[in-house]
Amino acid sequence: HLVAADGRESGGSEIGRLGDAFDALRRSRPHICVFAEPVHGREEMIALLARCQEQGIRVWLTTDLHQRYSPTMELSEAESIPVIVLGNLRLASWERVLKRLLDVAGAAACLVLAGPFLLYAALRTRREIGGPVIFRQARVGFQGRPFTILKLRAVGAGEGPDPRFCDFLRAYSLDEIPQLWNVLRGQMSLVGPRPETPERVRRYNPW
């Protein structure tokens, strides 16, 4: 059973069955999710824990569960019941603001410094290859949000009049300079995991 509690000793009201867990998390947006008994099926338990982590929900496990599911954890107590508190992977509010400021400042500075080279690379790419200068591809960002990643269009060897320039761009990842614009828009970060394509993300396991 899924129970919504308001912090009072009288307990809470039932909001659904275990099969409704994902919808309940989306509707109620709780701050804390307490797992008081094992979920039937390891994969279902892992999926629920992963969803809580994605949404920044603090997870409490009663002590008989921590042996099976224990990433980062600390001991605590809820209504005199010992529980294991899983670490919240989300940054604090001030940490997110600071990280965003650093991303914006760093990306803007790099774009200004790389501006002349970016213009030269774009003009040369257009002249030697023709067609669009920017290559666009669908990627998946933070919390599964889709966005379009930007790159300089650089073809492989033998695909242009002088492929050495394109090979140079790809060898030193200079074709990824336009992604600084993705950072400015908040779709990427200067420091963080590489965003993958939707097809690859669909094959990921929850944890």
Side-chain angles (χ1 to χ4, degrees), residues 8-26:
R8 296 177 297 190
E9 293 186 2
S10 59
S13 58
E14 182 176 330
I15 59 174
R17 298 281 183 171
L18 186 57
D20 305 319
F22 291 107
D23 287 337
L25 289 177
R26 178 177 53 81

Side-chain angles (χ1 to χ4, degrees), residues 26-195:
R26 178 177 53 81
R27 292 195 314 269
S28 57
R29 298 185 178 275
H31 297 294
I32 297 174
C33 188
V34 181
F35 290 84
E37 59 184 42
V39 174
H40 298 293
R42 182 176 183 275
E43 294 302 321
E44 189 173 16
M45 180 70 169
I46 290 177
L48 285 172
L49 292 175
R51 181 62 61 87
C52 290
Q53 294 282 303
E54 289 172 3
Q55 296 184 6
I57 301 170
R58 196 165 178 82
V59 174
W60 289 6
L61 300 179
T62 52
T63 52
D64 60 336
L65 295 178
H66 84 280
Q67 299 269 349
R68 298 171 58 190
Y69 314 98
S70 54
T72 57
M73 61 184 185
E74 61 184 81
L75 289 172
S76 185
E77 187 175 284
E79 300 291 340
S80 302
I81 301 173
V83 296
I84 304 295
V85 180
L86 301 189
N88 194 331
L89 301 180
R90 298 187 67 179
L91 297 175
S93 297
W94 69 269
E95 292 175 320
R96 293 198 299 273
V97 172
L98 178 60
K99 189 174 190 301
R100 180 62 184 145
L101 289 175
L102 292 175
D103 279 344
V104 171
C110 289
L111 274 176
V112 170
L113 294 175
F117 174 79
L118 190 60
L119 178 61
Y120 167 76
L123 292 174
R124 182 163 178 176
T125 299
R126 184 65 175 266
R127 184 188 66 198
E128 296 191 359
I129 304 175
V133 171
I134 298 295
F135 170 75
R136 293 173 169 82
Q137 187 179 43
R139 295 294 178 99
V140 178
F142 182 60
Q143 292 185 336
R145 289 194 289 265
F147 72 98
T148 301
I149 201 170
L150 305 178
K151 295 178 67 173
L152 279 174
R153 186 163 161 255
V155 298
E159 297 182 62
D162 185 5
R164 292 174 297 178
F165 180 67
C166 292
D167 293 341
F168 169 75
L169 292 177
R170 299 176 69 175
Y172 293 96
S173 300
L174 298 177
D175 58 329
E176 297 182 358
I177 291 177
Q179 292 172 24
L180 293 170
W181 180 249
N182 292 119
V183 175
L184 283 177
R185 296 188 63 185
Q187 298 165 332
M188 295 177 61
S189 176
L190 291 177
V191 179
R194 183 182 183 86

